[in-house]
Amino acid sequence: KVPVIFIKDPAEKAKPGQGDEPSNFIAIKGKTYSDVNLARFIENLEKVSYFKTVFLFKSKLSDDKLDPSHRFTVYCYMGEIKATT
C-alpha cells in the first residue's frame, strides 16, 4: 500500500475559529510493517526541497502479535512562511 498524504497550502488563511497563523509544520501519521520502509519514507521526505527539517516524532510497535505493525508520526518543518494577503 502507498500512503496518501493531503497537503494544503500552508500560507492559506485559516477559517474563522481555526487560528489565523499559517502552519509551518506538517504532521504525517501512518502505519508500516517494516522499520526499513519507515526509514526510506523519511529519507525520501528529506529530499523534498521545501522541507527544511524532517523528523520522526514517535513510533509505536503494535501490541497485537497477529498485526506486527508500527504506527508513526513524522513532522516536516517548512521554515518561515509568509502569509499572502
Side-chain angles (χ1 to χ4, degrees), residues 24-78:
N24 55 358
F25 280 94
I26 293 176
I28 301 170
K29 296 181 181 188
K31 181 178 176 180
T32 184
Y33 293 99
S34 166
D35 287 336
V36 174
N37 289 342
L38 179 56
R40 282 188 194 142
F41 181 63
I42 292 172
E43 286 173 3
N44 288 334
L45 287 173
E46 289 174 335
K47 293 176 186 175
V48 177
S49 63
Y50 51 86
F51 292 153
K52 304 295 182 204
T53 305
V54 177
F55 59 94
L56 178 64
F57 176 66
K58 65 180 174 180
S59 177
K60 181 181 182 219
L61 182 60
S62 172
D63 295 331
D64 186 359
K65 292 181 181 180
L66 299 175
D67 181 24
S69 61
H70 298 271
R71 294 190 182 276
F72 63 87
T73 303
V74 174
Y75 281 96
C76 302
Y77 175 67
M78 295 181 285

Side-chain angles (χ1 to χ4, degrees), residues 8-25 78-85:
K8 68 174 190 164
D9 180 3
E12 181 180 290
K13 287 209 167 214
K15 294 179 183 176
Q18 293 183 343
D20 295 330
E21 294 296 316
S23 175
N24 55 358
F25 280 94
M78 295 181 285
E80 295 300 316
I81 297 173
K82 308 237 191 278
T84 57
T85 56

